[in-house]
Amino acid sequence: MLLRNQVRDPFFPECPVRNVISRIGGKWPILILLTLEGSDKPLRFKNLRQTITDISDKMLTVTLHDLEADGLIIRIAHNEMPPRVEYTLSDRAKSLMPHINALVDWAIVNINEIVASREAYYNMQL
């Protein structure tokens, strides 16, 4: 049951699946979650940026904010000079990771056939 004041995705306000997938379905949220899961300690912005080399600073910032807003990551701001901020997975994200890892495993098993299918499809279009 959706509450009147609940924050919802404006494109998919009544569908929980589309609402969630619209936030985590892109490559950046999944890569950030996988990167944080693969670390044995919280990571700083700089560490995430160095690991995910093709993401821009702006996109990393926006995606981190979205993941934090959805309760998937925890932002840890240390009260020191200079300021230090770290990110880690929340328990909610940890419960999601087996599903993301299953998708990663499926992609690894099926990538060659997918690429072959794409090539065959696009060659037929010529």
Side-chain angles (χ1 to χ4, degrees):
M1 180 171 134
L2 296 173
L3 304 175
R4 180 179 205 107
N5 63 350
Q6 182 177 0
V7 177
R8 295 178 280 181
D9 186 304
F11 297 110
F12 312 113
E14 303 302 324
C15 180
V17 173
R18 291 175 70 177
N19 195 310
V20 170
I21 295 297
S22 72
R23 290 293 281 252
I24 65 167
K27 69 178 177 178
W28 302 127
I30 289 175
L31 286 175
I32 290 169
L33 293 172
L34 287 167
T35 301
L36 289 171
E37 182 193 37
S39 177
D40 57 349
K41 60 183 180 180
L43 295 177
R44 297 179 73 173
F45 184 96
K46 176 182 77 169
N47 303 123
L48 289 165
R49 182 71 174 82
Q50 289 171 341
T51 303
I52 308 170
T53 58
D54 52 338
I55 191 170
S56 69
D57 287 348
K58 179 178 169 89
M59 188 53 65
L60 179 55
T61 299
V62 167
T63 307
L64 288 169
H65 284 256
D66 289 346
L67 291 170
E68 183 182 7
D70 287 352
L72 295 173
I73 63 170
I74 299 168
R75 181 180 184 271
I76 306 160
H78 298 275
N79 190 15
E80 55 189 48
M81 289 307 277
R84 181 169 52 104
V85 176
E86 298 174 319
Y87 299 92
T88 190
L89 293 180
S90 69
D91 288 341
R92 181 175 301 144
K94 290 175 185 174
S95 73
L96 172 63
M97 295 314 296
H99 306 287
I100 291 176
N101 286 316
L103 177 60
V104 169
D105 293 343
W106 180 89
I108 290 168
V109 167
N110 288 282
I111 188 61
N112 292 331
E113 291 82 7
I114 290 170
V115 169
S117 292
R118 287 179 188 166
E119 289 173 354
Y121 176 84
Y122 290 118
N123 286 335
M124 287 184 353
Q125 302 300 314
L126 298 176

